[in-house]
Amino acid sequence: MHSARDRVEYEPWLAELETIADRLELSTEARSCAVDLFLTDVPESDRSKRAVLAASLYAGSLVAGDGRTQGAVADAADVSRLSVQSRWKELLEAAGLEPPRW
């Protein structure tokens, strides 16, 4: 659970998350999970926020069983697939979740 202050402070980024989630046609559960993951570990640098946002969407879609490919999420978020690949597991672990071991 995150404070209302966090949601207000990062509102532009959360709006961007919703826009990308719309492009990907993600479920409400996947979106909610992505928001929680993003707010758990928002980077200081604006440059890194977009990559973490994309990784949060990818991980949130996995948790919700509404999985999308890393490439699809990266394309929708306008980041590289490597940006998603290199961050999503850490986000899950930081949230106390165990990433899948495919």
Side-chain angles (χ1 to χ4, degrees):
M1 190 65 104
H2 303 281
S3 71
R5 180 190 302 178
D6 288 342
R7 290 183 183 273
V8 169
E9 180 178 353
Y10 299 113
E11 176 55 36
W13 290 101
L14 297 177
E16 181 67 14
L17 184 146
E18 286 295 330
T19 299
I20 296 165
D22 285 344
R23 284 184 210 137
L24 293 165
E25 299 179 348
L26 291 178
S27 68
T28 302
E29 183 180 357
R31 292 166 191 247
S32 177
C33 187
V35 167
D36 287 342
L37 290 170
F38 179 71
L39 291 175
T40 295
D41 192 23
V42 180
E44 291 292 321
S45 164
D46 278 350
R47 180 182 155 140
S48 298
K49 284 182 175 83
R50 181 168 290 281
V52 171
L53 187 99
S56 298
L57 282 160
Y58 175 71
S61 74
L62 289 177
V63 169
D66 193 13
R68 299 295 188 271
T69 66
Q70 292 176 8
V73 173
D75 288 346
D78 197 27
V79 300
S80 71
R81 190 186 63 75
L82 184 59
S83 294
V84 175
Q85 180 184 7
S86 65
R87 289 177 171 84
W88 72 273
K89 287 182 184 178
E90 293 171 5
L91 287 172
L92 287 178
E93 290 169 350
L97 301 170
E98 188 172 326
R101 304 194 188 280
W102 301 306

Coordinates of all heavy atoms in Angstrom, one line a residue:
M1 N 0.8 -1.2 0.0 CA 0.0 0.0 0.0 C 0.9 1.2 0.0 O 1.9 1.3 0.7 CB -0.9 0.0 1.2 CG -2.0 1.0 1.2 SD -3.1 0.8 -0.1 CE -4.5 0.1 0.8
H2 N 0.5 2.2 -0.8 CA 1.3 3.4 -0.9 C 0.5 4.6 -0.5 O -0.7 4.6 -0.6 CB 1.8 3.6 -2.4 CG 2.6 2.4 -2.8 ND1 3.9 2.2 -2.5 CD2 2.2 1.3 -3.5 CE1 4.3 1.0 -3.0 NE2 3.3 0.5 -3.6
S3 N 1.2 5.6 0.0 CA 0.5 6.8 0.5 C -0.1 7.6 -0.7 O 0.3 7.5 -1.8 CB 1.5 7.7 1.2 OG 2.4 8.3 0.3
A4 N -1.1 8.4 -0.3 CA -1.7 9.3 -1.3 C -0.7 10.3 -1.8 O -0.7 10.7 -3.0 CB -2.9 10.0 -0.6
R5 N 0.3 10.7 -0.9 CA 1.3 11.6 -1.3 C 2.1 11.0 -2.5 O 2.5 11.7 -3.4 CB 2.3 11.9 -0.2 CG 3.4 12.9 -0.6 CD 4.4 13.0 0.5 NE 3.9 13.5 1.7 CZ 4.6 13.7 2.8 NH1 5.9 13.4 2.8 NH2 4.1 14.1 3.9
D6 N 2.5 9.7 -2.4 CA 3.2 9.1 -3.5 C 2.4 9.1 -4.8 O 3.0 9.4 -5.9 CB 3.5 7.6 -3.2 CG 4.6 7.4 -2.1 OD1 5.3 8.4 -1.9 OD2 4.7 6.3 -1.6
R7 N 1.1 8.9 -4.7 CA 0.3 8.9 -5.9 C 0.2 10.3 -6.5 O 0.2 10.4 -7.7 CB -1.1 8.3 -5.6 CG -1.0 6.8 -5.3 CD -2.4 6.2 -5.1 NE -2.3 4.8 -4.8 CZ -2.3 3.9 -5.7 NH1 -2.4 4.2 -7.0 NH2 -2.2 2.6 -5.3
V8 N 0.1 11.3 -5.7 CA 0.1 12.7 -6.2 C 1.4 13.1 -6.8 O 1.5 13.6 -7.9 CB -0.3 13.6 -5.0 CG1 -0.1 15.1 -5.5 CG2 -1.8 13.4 -4.6
E9 N 2.5 12.7 -6.1 CA 3.8 13.1 -6.5 C 4.2 12.5 -7.9 O 4.8 13.1 -8.8 CB 4.9 12.7 -5.5 CG 6.3 13.0 -5.9 CD 7.3 12.6 -4.9 OE1 7.0 12.2 -3.8 OE2 8.5 12.7 -5.2
Y10 N 3.7 11.3 -8.1 CA 4.1 10.6 -9.3 C 2.9 10.5 -10.3 O 2.9 9.6 -11.2 CB 4.6 9.2 -9.0 CG 5.9 9.2 -8.2 CD1 5.9 8.8 -6.9 CD2 7.0 9.8 -8.7 CE1 7.1 8.9 -6.1 CE2 8.2 9.9 -8.0 CZ 8.2 9.4 -6.7 OH 9.4 9.5 -6.0
E11 N 1.9 11.3 -10.1 CA 0.7 11.3 -11.0 C 1.0 11.3 -12.5 O 0.4 10.5 -13.2 CB -0.3 12.4 -10.6 CG -1.5 12.5 -11.5 CD -2.3 11.2 -11.5 OE1 -2.4 10.5 -10.5 OE2 -2.8 10.9 -12.6
P12 N 1.9 12.1 -12.9 CA 2.2 12.1 -14.4 C 2.7 10.8 -14.9 O 2.3 10.3 -16.0 CB 3.2 13.2 -14.6 CG 3.1 14.1 -13.4 CD 2.6 13.2 -12.3
W13 N 3.5 10.1 -14.0 CA 4.0 8.8 -14.4 C 2.9 7.7 -14.3 O 2.9 6.8 -15.1 CB 5.2 8.4 -13.5 CG 6.4 9.3 -13.8 CD1 6.8 10.4 -13.2 CD2 7.2 9.2 -15.0 NE1 7.9 10.9 -13.8 CE2 8.2 10.2 -14.9 CE3 7.3 8.3 -16.1 CZ2 9.1 10.4 -15.9 CZ3 8.2 8.4 -17.0 CH2 9.2 9.5 -16.9
L14 N 2.0 7.9 -13.3 CA 0.9 6.9 -13.2 C 0.0 7.1 -14.4 O -0.6 6.1 -14.9 CB 0.2 7.0 -11.9 CG 1.1 6.7 -10.7 CD1 0.3 7.0 -9.4 CD2 1.7 5.3 -10.7
A15 N -0.2 8.3 -14.9 CA -1.1 8.5 -16.0 C -0.4 7.9 -17.3 O -1.1 7.3 -18.1 CB -1.3 10.0 -16.3
E16 N 0.9 8.0 -17.4 CA 1.6 7.4 -18.5 C 1.5 5.9 -18.4 O 1.3 5.2 -19.4 CB 3.1 7.8 -18.5 CG 3.9 7.2 -19.6 CD 3.5 7.7 -21.0 OE1 2.8 8.7 -21.1 OE2 4.0 7.1 -21.9
L17 N 1.6 5.3 -17.2 CA 1.4 3.9 -17.0 C 0.0 3.4 -17.5 O -0.1 2.4 -18.2 CB 1.5 3.5 -15.5 CG 1.5 2.1 -15.1 CD1 2.4 1.8 -14.0 CD2 0.1 1.6 -14.8
E18 N -1.0 4.2 -17.2 CA -2.4 3.9 -17.7 C -2.5 3.9 -19.2 O -3.1 3.1 -19.8 CB -3.4 4.8 -17.0 CG -3.7 4.5 -15.6 CD -4.3 3.1 -15.4 OE1 -5.0 2.6 -16.3 OE2 -4.1 2.5 -14.3
T19 N -1.8 4.9 -19.8 CA -1.8 5.1 -21.2 C -1.2 3.8 -21.9 O -1.7 3.3 -22.9 CB -1.1 6.4 -21.7 OG1 -1.8 7.5 -21.1 CG2 -1.0 6.5 -23.2
I20 N -0.1 3.4 -21.4 CA 0.6 2.3 -21.9 C -0.2 1.0 -21.7 O -0.3 0.1 -22.6 CB 2.1 2.1 -21.3 CG1 2.9 3.4 -21.7 CG2 2.7 0.8 -21.7 CD1 4.2 3.5 -20.9
A21 N -0.8 0.9 -20.5 CA -1.6 -0.3 -20.2 C -2.8 -0.3 -21.1 O -3.2 -1.4 -21.5 CB -2.1 -0.2 -18.7
D22 N -3.3 0.8 -21.5 CA -4.4 0.9 -22.5 C -4.0 0.3 -23.8 O -4.7 -0.5 -24.5 CB -5.0 2.3 -22.7 CG -5.8 2.8 -21.6 OD1 -6.3 2.0 -20.8 OD2 -6.0 4.0 -21.5
R23 N -2.8 0.7 -24.3 CA -2.2 0.2 -25.5 C -2.1 -1.3 -25.5 O -2.3 -2.0 -26.5 CB -0.8 0.8 -25.8 CG -0.8 2.2 -26.3 CD 0.6 2.7 -26.6 NE 0.6 4.1 -26.4 CZ 1.6 4.8 -25.8 NH1 2.6 4.1 -25.3 NH2 1.5 6.1 -25.6
L24 N -1.7 -1.8 -24.3 CA -1.5 -3.3 -24.2 C -2.8 -4.0 -23.8 O -2.8 -5.2 -23.8 CB -0.5 -3.5 -23.1 CG 1.0 -3.1 -23.4 CD1 1.8 -3.0 -22.1 CD2 1.6 -3.9 -24.4
E25 N -3.9 -3.3 -23.6 CA -5.1 -3.8 -23.2 C -5.0 -4.7 -22.0 O -5.5 -5.9 -21.9 CB -5.8 -4.6 -24.3 CG -6.0 -3.7 -25.6 CD -6.6 -4.5 -26.7 OE1 -6.7 -5.7 -26.7 OE2 -7.1 -3.8 -27.7
L26 N -4.3 -4.2 -20.9 CA -4.1 -5.0 -19.7 C -5.3 -4.9 -18.8 O -6.1 -4.0 -18.8 CB -2.9 -4.4 -18.9 CG -1.5 -4.6 -19.6 CD1 -0.5 -4.0 -18.7 CD2 -1.3 -6.1 -19.8
S27 N -5.5 -6.0 -18.0 CA -6.6 -6.1 -17.1 C -6.4 -5.1 -15.9 O -5.3 -4.6 -15.7 CB -6.7 -7.5 -16.5 OG -5.5 -7.8 -15.7
T28 N -7.5 -4.9 -15.2 CA -7.5 -4.0 -14.0 C -6.5 -4.5 -13.0 O -5.7 -3.7 -12.4 CB -8.9 -3.9 -13.4 OG1 -9.8 -3.4 -14.4 CG2 -8.9 -3.0 -12.2
E29 N -6.5 -5.8 -12.8 CA -5.5 -6.4 -11.9 C -4.1 -6.2 -12.3 O -3.2 -5.9 -11.4 CB -5.8 -7.9 -11.7 CG -5.0 -8.6 -10.7 CD -5.2 -10.1 -10.6 OE1 -6.1 -10.6 -11.2 OE2 -4.5 -10.7 -9.8
A30 N -3.8 -6.4 -13.5 CA -2.4 -6.2 -14.0 C -2.0 -4.7 -13.8 O -0.9 -4.4 -13.4 CB -2.3 -6.6 -15.5
R31 N -2.9 -3.8 -14.1 CA -2.6 -2.4 -13.9 C -2.4 -2.0 -12.5 O -1.4 -1.3 -12.1 CB -3.8 -1.5 -14.4 CG -4.0 -1.6 -15.9 CD -5.4 -1.0 -16.3 NE -5.7 -1.3 -17.7 CZ -5.8 -0.4 -18.6 NH1 -5.6 0.9 -18.3 NH2 -6.1 -0.7 -19.8
S32 N -3.2 -2.5 -11.6 CA -3.1 -2.3 -10.2 C -1.7 -2.8 -9.6 O -1.0 -2.1 -8.9 CB -4.2 -2.9 -9.4 OG -4.1 -2.8 -8.0
C33 N -1.4 -4.0 -10.1 CA -0.1 -4.6 -9.7 C 1.1 -3.8 -10.2 O 2.0 -3.5 -9.5 CB 0.0 -6.0 -10.1 SG 1.4 -6.9 -9.5
A34 N 1.0 -3.3 -11.4 CA 2.0 -2.5 -12.0 C 2.2 -1.2 -11.3 O 3.3 -0.8 -11.0 CB 1.7 -2.2 -13.5
V35 N 1.1 -0.6 -10.9 CA 1.2 0.7 -10.1 C 1.9 0.4 -8.8 O 2.8 1.1 -8.4 CB -0.2 1.3 -9.8 CG1 -0.2 2.4 -8.8 CG2 -0.8 1.8 -11.1
D36 N 1.5 -0.7 -8.1 CA 2.2 -1.0 -6.8 C 3.7 -1.3 -7.0 O 4.5 -0.8 -6.2 CB 1.5 -2.2 -6.2 CG 0.1 -1.9 -5.6 OD1 -0.2 -0.7 -5.4 OD2 -0.6 -2.9 -5.4
L37 N 4.0 -2.0 -8.0 CA 5.4 -2.3 -8.3 C 6.2 -1.0 -8.6 O 7.3 -0.8 -8.1 CB 5.6 -3.3 -9.4 CG 5.1 -4.7 -9.1 CD1 5.1 -5.6 -10.4 CD2 6.0 -5.3 -8.1
F38 N 5.6 -0.1 -9.4 CA 6.3 1.1 -9.7 C 6.5 2.0 -8.5 O 7.6 2.5 -8.3 CB 5.5 1.9 -10.8 CG 6.1 3.2 -11.2 CD1 7.2 3.2 -12.0 CD2 5.5 4.4 -10.8 CE1 7.8 4.4 -12.3 CE2 6.1 5.6 -11.2 CZ 7.2 5.6 -11.9
L39 N 5.5 2.1 -7.7 CA 5.6 3.0 -6.5 C 6.5 2.4 -5.4 O 7.0 3.1 -4.6 CB 4.2 3.3 -5.9 CG 3.3 4.2 -6.8 CD1 1.9 4.3 -6.2 CD2 3.9 5.5 -7.0
T40 N 6.7 1.1 -5.5 CA 7.6 0.5 -4.5 C 9.0 0.9 -4.7 O 9.8 1.0 -3.7 CB 7.5 -1.1 -4.6 OG1 6.2 -1.5 -4.3 CG2 8.5 -1.8 -3.7
D41 N 9.4 1.2 -5.9 CA 10.8 1.5 -6.2 C 11.0 2.5 -7.3 O 11.6 2.2 -8.4 CB 11.6 0.2 -6.6 CG 13.1 0.3 -6.6 OD1 13.6 1.2 -5.9 OD2 13.7 -0.5 -7.2
V42 N 10.5 3.7 -7.1 CA 10.6 4.8 -8.1 C 12.0 5.3 -8.1 O 12.5 5.7 -7.1 CB 9.6 5.9 -7.8 CG1 9.7 7.0 -8.9 CG2 8.2 5.4 -7.8
P43 N 12.7 5.3 -9.2 CA 14.1 5.8 -9.3 C 14.1 7.3 -9.2 O 13.1 8.0 -9.5 CB 14.6 5.3 -10.6 CG 13.4 5.0 -11.4 CD 12.3 4.7 -10.5
E44 N 15.2 7.8 -8.7 CA 15.4 9.3 -8.6 C 15.4 9.9 -10.0 O 14.8 11.0 -10.2 CB 16.7 9.6 -7.8 CG 16.6 9.2 -6.4 CD 15.7 10.1 -5.6 OE1 15.6 11.3 -5.9 OE2 15.0 9.6 -4.7
S45 N 16.1 9.3 -10.9 CA 16.3 9.9 -12.2 C 15.1 9.8 -13.1 O 14.6 8.7 -13.2 CB 17.6 9.2 -12.9 OG 17.6 9.5 -14.2
D46 N 14.7 10.9 -13.7 CA 13.5 10.8 -14.6 C 13.9 9.9 -15.8 O 13.0 9.2 -16.3 CB 13.2 12.2 -15.1 CG 12.3 12.9 -14.2 OD1 11.8 12.3 -13.2 OD2 12.0 14.1 -14.4
R47 N 15.1 9.9 -16.2 CA 15.6 9.0 -17.3 C 15.3 7.5 -17.0 O 15.0 6.8 -17.9 CB 17.1 9.3 -17.5 CG 17.6 8.5 -18.6 CD 19.1 8.7 -18.8 NE 19.7 7.6 -19.4 CZ 20.6 7.7 -20.3 NH1 21.1 8.8 -20.7 NH2 21.1 6.6 -20.8
S48 N 15.4 7.1 -15.8 CA 15.2 5.7 -15.4 C 13.7 5.4 -15.2 O 13.4 4.2 -15.2 CB 16.0 5.4 -14.2 OG 17.4 5.5 -14.4
K49 N 12.9 6.4 -14.9 CA 11.5 6.1 -14.5 C 10.8 5.4 -15.6 O 10.0 4.5 -15.4 CB 10.8 7.4 -14.2 CG 11.2 7.9 -12.8 CD 10.4 9.2 -12.5 CE 10.7 9.6 -11.1 NZ 11.9 10.4 -10.9
R50 N 11.0 5.7 -16.9 CA 10.2 5.1 -18.0 C 10.6 3.6 -18.1 O 9.7 2.8 -18.3 CB 10.5 5.8 -19.3 CG 9.8 5.1 -20.5 CD 9.8 5.9 -21.7 NE 9.0 7.2 -21.6 CZ 7.7 7.2 -21.7 NH1 7.0 6.1 -22.0 NH2 7.1 8.4 -21.6
A51 N 11.9 3.3 -17.9 CA 12.3 1.9 -17.9 C 11.7 1.1 -16.8 O 11.2 -0.1 -16.9 CB 13.8 1.7 -17.9
V52 N 11.6 1.7 -15.6 CA 11.0 1.0 -14.4 C 9.5 0.9 -14.6 O 8.9 -0.1 -14.2 CB 11.4 1.7 -13.1 CG1 10.6 1.2 -11.9 CG2 12.9 1.6 -12.9
L53 N 8.9 1.9 -15.2 CA 7.5 1.9 -15.5 C 7.2 0.7 -16.4 O 6.3 -0.1 -16.2 CB 7.1 3.2 -16.1 CG 5.6 3.4 -16.4 CD1 5.0 4.2 -15.2 CD2 5.4 4.1 -17.7
A54 N 8.0 0.5 -17.5 CA 7.8 -0.6 -18.4 C 8.0 -1.9 -17.7 O 7.2 -2.9 -17.9 CB 8.7 -0.4 -19.6
A55 N 9.0 -2.0 -16.9 CA 9.3 -3.3 -16.2 C 8.2 -3.6 -15.2 O 7.8 -4.8 -15.1 CB 10.6 -3.2 -15.5
S56 N 7.6 -2.6 -14.6 CA 6.5 -2.7 -13.7 C 5.2 -3.3 -14.4 O 4.5 -4.1 -13.9 CB 6.1 -1.4 -13.0 OG 7.2 -0.9 -12.2
L57 N 5.0 -2.7 -15.6 CA 3.9 -3.2 -16.4 C 4.1 -4.7 -16.8 O 3.1 -5.5 -16.8 CB 3.7 -2.3 -17.7 CG 3.0 -1.0 -17.4 CD1 3.3 0.0 -18.5 CD2 1.5 -1.2 -17.2
Y58 N 5.3 -5.0 -17.2 CA 5.6 -6.4 -17.6 C 5.4 -7.3 -16.4 O 4.6 -8.3 -16.5 CB 7.0 -6.5 -18.2 CG 7.4 -7.9 -18.5 CD1 6.8 -8.6 -19.5 CD2 8.3 -8.6 -17.7 CE1 7.1 -10.0 -19.8 CE2 8.6 -9.9 -17.9 CZ 8.0 -10.6 -19.0 OH 8.3 -11.9 -19.3
A59 N 6.0 -7.0 -15.3 CA 5.9 -7.8 -14.1 C 4.4 -7.9 -13.6 O 4.0 -9.0 -13.2 CB 6.8 -7.3 -13.0
G60 N 3.7 -6.8 -13.6 CA 2.3 -6.7 -13.2 C 1.5 -7.6 -14.0 O 0.6 -8.3 -13.6
S61 N 1.7 -7.6 -15.3 CA 1.0 -8.5 -16.2 C 1.2 -10.0 -16.0 O 0.3 -10.8 -16.0 CB 1.2 -8.2 -17.7 OG 2.5 -8.6 -18.1
L62 N 2.5 -10.3 -15.6 CA 2.8 -11.7 -15.2 C 2.1 -12.1 -14.0 O 1.5 -13.2 -13.9 CB 4.3 -11.9 -15.0 CG 5.2 -11.8 -16.3 CD1 6.6 -11.9 -15.9 CD2 4.8 -12.9 -17.3
V63 N 2.1 -11.3 -12.9 CA 1.5 -11.6 -11.7 C 0.0 -11.8 -11.8 O -0.6 -12.7 -11.2 CB 1.8 -10.5 -10.6 CG1 1.0 -10.6 -9.4 CG2 3.3 -10.5 -10.3
A64 N -0.6 -11.0 -12.7 CA -2.1 -11.0 -12.9 C -2.5 -12.1 -13.8 O -3.7 -12.3 -14.1 CB -2.6 -9.7 -13.3
G65 N -1.5 -12.8 -14.4 CA -1.9 -13.9 -15.4 C -2.3 -13.3 -16.7 O -3.0 -13.9 -17.5
D66 N -1.9 -12.0 -17.0 CA -2.3 -11.3 -18.1 C -1.1 -11.0 -18.9 O -0.9 -9.9 -19.5 CB -3.1 -10.0 -17.7 CG -3.8 -9.3 -18.8 OD1 -4.0 -10.0 -19.9 OD2 -4.2 -8.2 -18.7
G67 N -0.2 -11.9 -19.0 CA 1.2 -11.7 -19.5 C 1.3 -11.2 -20.9 O 0.5 -11.5 -21.8
R68 N 2.2 -10.3 -21.1 CA 2.6 -9.8 -22.4 C 4.1 -10.0 -22.6 O 4.8 -10.2 -21.6 CB 2.3 -8.3 -22.5 CG 0.9 -7.8 -22.3 CD 0.0 -8.4 -23.4 NE -1.3 -7.8 -23.4 CZ -2.3 -8.4 -22.7 NH1 -2.2 -9.4 -22.0 NH2 -3.6 -7.8 -22.8
T69 N 4.5 -10.0 -23.8 CA 6.0 -10.2 -24.0 C 6.7 -9.0 -23.6 O 6.2 -7.9 -23.6 CB 6.3 -10.6 -25.5 OG1 6.0 -9.4 -26.3 CG2 5.5 -11.8 -26.0
Q70 N 8.0 -9.2 -23.3 CA 8.9 -8.1 -23.0 C 8.9 -7.1 -24.1 O 8.9 -5.9 -24.0 CB 10.3 -8.6 -22.6 CG 10.3 -9.3 -21.3 CD 11.7 -9.9 -21.0 OE1 12.7 -9.6 -21.7 NE2 11.8 -10.7 -19.9
G71 N 9.0 -7.7 -25.3 CA 9.0 -6.8 -26.5 C 7.8 -6.0 -26.7 O 7.9 -4.8 -27.1
A72 N 6.6 -6.6 -26.5 CA 5.4 -5.8 -26.6 C 5.3 -4.7 -25.6 O 4.9 -3.6 -26.0 CB 4.2 -6.8 -26.5
V73 N 5.7 -5.0 -24.4 CA 5.7 -3.9 -23.4 C 6.7 -2.8 -23.7 O 6.4 -1.6 -23.6 CB 5.9 -4.5 -22.0 CG1 6.1 -3.4 -20.9 CG2 4.8 -5.5 -21.6
A74 N 7.9 -3.3 -24.1 CA 8.9 -2.3 -24.4 C 8.5 -1.4 -25.6 O 8.7 -0.2 -25.5 CB 10.2 -3.0 -24.8
D75 N 7.9 -2.0 -26.6 CA 7.4 -1.2 -27.7 C 6.3 -0.2 -27.3 O 6.3 1.0 -27.7 CB 6.8 -2.1 -28.8 CG 7.9 -2.8 -29.6 OD1 9.1 -2.5 -29.4 OD2 7.6 -3.8 -30.3
A76 N 5.4 -0.6 -26.5 CA 4.3 0.2 -26.0 C 4.8 1.4 -25.1 O 4.2 2.5 -25.1 CB 3.2 -0.6 -25.3
A77 N 5.9 1.1 -24.4 CA 6.4 2.1 -23.5 C 7.6 2.9 -24.1 O 8.1 3.8 -23.5 CB 6.9 1.4 -22.2
D78 N 7.9 2.6 -25.3 CA 9.0 3.3 -26.0 C 10.4 3.2 -25.3 O 11.0 4.2 -25.0 CB 8.7 4.7 -26.3 CG 9.5 5.4 -27.3 OD1 10.1 4.6 -28.2 OD2 9.7 6.6 -27.3
V79 N 10.7 1.9 -24.8 CA 12.0 1.6 -24.2 C 12.5 0.4 -24.9 O 11.8 -0.3 -25.7 CB 11.9 1.4 -22.7 CG1 11.4 2.6 -22.0 CG2 11.1 0.2 -22.4
S80 N 13.8 0.1 -24.7 CA 14.3 -1.2 -25.2 C 13.8 -2.4 -24.5 O 13.5 -2.3 -23.3 CB 15.9 -1.1 -25.2 OG 16.3 -1.3 -23.9
R81 N 13.8 -3.5 -25.2 CA 13.4 -4.8 -24.5 C 14.4 -5.1 -23.4 O 14.0 -5.6 -22.3 CB 13.4 -5.9 -25.5 CG 12.8 -7.2 -24.9 CD 12.9 -8.4 -25.8 NE 14.2 -8.8 -26.1 CZ 15.1 -9.4 -25.3 NH1 14.6 -9.8 -24.1 NH2 16.3 -9.7 -25.6
L82 N 15.7 -4.7 -23.6 CA 16.7 -4.9 -22.5 C 16.4 -4.2 -21.3 O 16.7 -4.6 -20.2 CB 18.1 -4.6 -23.1 CG 19.3 -4.8 -22.1 CD1 19.3 -6.3 -21.8 CD2 20.6 -4.4 -22.8
S83 N 15.8 -3.0 -21.4 CA 15.4 -2.2 -20.2 C 14.4 -3.0 -19.4 O 14.5 -2.9 -18.1 CB 14.8 -0.9 -20.7 OG 15.7 -0.1 -21.3
V84 N 13.4 -3.6 -20.0 CA 12.5 -4.4 -19.3 C 13.1 -5.7 -18.7 O 13.0 -6.0 -17.5 CB 11.3 -4.8 -20.2 CG1 10.3 -5.7 -19.5 CG2 10.6 -3.6 -20.8
Q85 N 13.9 -6.4 -19.6 CA 14.5 -7.6 -19.2 C 15.4 -7.4 -18.0 O 15.4 -8.3 -17.1 CB 15.3 -8.2 -20.3 CG 16.0 -9.5 -20.0 CD 16.9 -9.9 -21.2 OE1 17.0 -9.2 -22.2 NE2 17.4 -11.1 -21.1
S86 N 16.1 -6.3 -17.9 CA 17.1 -6.2 -16.8 C 16.5 -5.7 -15.5 O 17.2 -5.6 -14.5 CB 18.2 -5.2 -17.3 OG 17.7 -3.9 -17.5
R87 N 15.2 -5.3 -15.5 CA 14.6 -4.7 -14.3 C 13.5 -5.5 -13.7 O 13.2 -5.4 -12.5 CB 14.2 -3.3 -14.6 CG 15.3 -2.4 -14.8 CD 14.8 -1.0 -15.1 NE 15.8 0.0 -15.2 CZ 16.6 0.3 -16.2 NH1 16.5 -0.4 -17.3 NH2 17.5 1.3 -16.1
W88 N 12.7 -6.3 -14.4 CA 11.5 -6.8 -13.9 C 11.6 -7.8 -12.7 O 10.9 -7.7 -11.8 CB 10.6 -7.4 -15.0 CG 11.1 -8.7 -15.5 CD1 12.0 -8.9 -16.5 CD2 10.7 -10.0 -15.1 NE1 12.2 -10.3 -16.8 CE2 11.5 -11.0 -15.9 CE3 9.9 -10.5 -14.2 CZ2 11.3 -12.3 -15.7 CZ3 9.7 -11.9 -14.0 CH2 10.5 -12.8 -14.8
K89 N 12.7 -8.6 -12.7 CA 12.9 -9.5 -11.6 C 13.2 -8.8 -10.3 O 12.6 -9.2 -9.3 CB 14.0 -10.5 -11.9 CG 13.6 -11.6 -13.0 CD 14.7 -12.5 -13.2 CE 14.3 -13.5 -14.3 NZ 15.4 -14.4 -14.6
E90 N 14.0 -7.8 -10.4 CA 14.3 -7.0 -9.2 C 13.1 -6.3 -8.6 O 13.0 -6.2 -7.4 CB 15.3 -5.9 -9.6 CG 16.7 -6.4 -10.0 CD 17.6 -5.3 -10.5 OE1 17.2 -4.2 -10.5 OE2 18.7 -5.7 -11.0
L91 N 12.2 -5.9 -9.5 CA 11.0 -5.3 -9.0 C 10.1 -6.3 -8.2 O 9.6 -5.9 -7.1 CB 10.2 -4.7 -10.2 CG 10.7 -3.4 -10.8 CD1 9.9 -3.1 -12.1 CD2 10.7 -2.3 -9.8
L92 N 10.0 -7.5 -8.8 CA 9.2 -8.5 -8.0 C 9.9 -8.8 -6.7 O 9.2 -8.9 -5.7 CB 9.1 -9.7 -8.9 CG 8.1 -9.6 -10.1 CD1 8.1 -10.9 -10.9 CD2 6.7 -9.3 -9.6
E93 N 11.2 -9.0 -6.7 CA 11.9 -9.3 -5.5 C 11.8 -8.2 -4.4 O 11.5 -8.5 -3.3 CB 13.3 -9.7 -5.8 CG 13.5 -11.0 -6.5 CD 14.9 -11.2 -7.1 OE1 15.7 -10.2 -7.1 OE2 15.2 -12.3 -7.6
A94 N 11.9 -7.0 -4.9 CA 11.7 -5.8 -4.0 C 10.3 -5.8 -3.3 O 10.2 -5.3 -2.2 CB 12.0 -4.5 -4.7
A95 N 9.4 -6.3 -4.0 CA 8.0 -6.3 -3.5 C 7.7 -7.6 -2.7 O 6.6 -7.8 -2.3 CB 7.0 -6.2 -4.7
G96 N 8.7 -8.4 -2.5 CA 8.5 -9.6 -1.8 C 8.0 -10.8 -2.5 O 7.5 -11.8 -1.9
L97 N 8.0 -10.7 -3.8 CA 7.5 -11.8 -4.7 C 8.6 -12.6 -5.3 O 9.7 -12.0 -5.5 CB 6.6 -11.2 -5.8 CG 5.4 -10.4 -5.3 CD1 4.7 -9.7 -6.5 CD2 4.4 -11.3 -4.6
E98 N 8.4 -13.8 -5.6 CA 9.4 -14.6 -6.2 C 9.2 -14.7 -7.7 O 8.1 -15.1 -8.2 CB 9.4 -16.0 -5.6 CG 10.6 -16.9 -6.1 CD 10.7 -18.2 -5.4 OE1 10.3 -18.2 -4.2 OE2 11.1 -19.2 -6.0
P99 N 10.2 -14.3 -8.5 CA 10.0 -14.3 -10.0 C 10.0 -15.7 -10.4 O 10.5 -16.6 -9.8 CB 11.3 -13.6 -10.5 CG 12.1 -13.1 -9.3 CD 11.4 -13.7 -8.1
P100 N 9.2 -16.0 -11.5 CA 9.2 -17.3 -12.1 C 10.6 -17.8 -12.5 O 11.4 -17.0 -12.9 CB 8.3 -17.2 -13.3 CG 8.0 -15.8 -13.5 CD 8.5 -15.0 -12.3
R101 N 10.8 -19.1 -12.5 CA 12.1 -19.6 -12.9 C 11.9 -20.5 -14.2 O 12.0 -21.7 -14.2 CB 12.7 -20.5 -11.8 CG 12.8 -19.8 -10.5 CD 13.7 -20.6 -9.6 NE 13.7 -20.0 -8.2 CZ 14.4 -18.9 -7.9 NH1 15.2 -18.3 -8.7 NH2 14.4 -18.5 -6.7
W102 N 11.7 -19.8 -15.3 CA 11.5 -20.5 -16.5 C 12.7 -21.1 -17.0 O 13.7 -20.6 -17.2 CB 10.9 -19.6 -17.6 CG 9.6 -19.0 -17.2 CD1 8.5 -19.6 -16.8 CD2 9.3 -17.6 -17.2 NE1 7.5 -18.7 -16.5 CE2 8.0 -17.5 -16.8 CE3 10.0 -16.5 -17.5 CZ2 7.3 -16.3 -16.7 CZ3 9.3 -15.2 -17.4 CH2 8.0 -15.1 -17.0

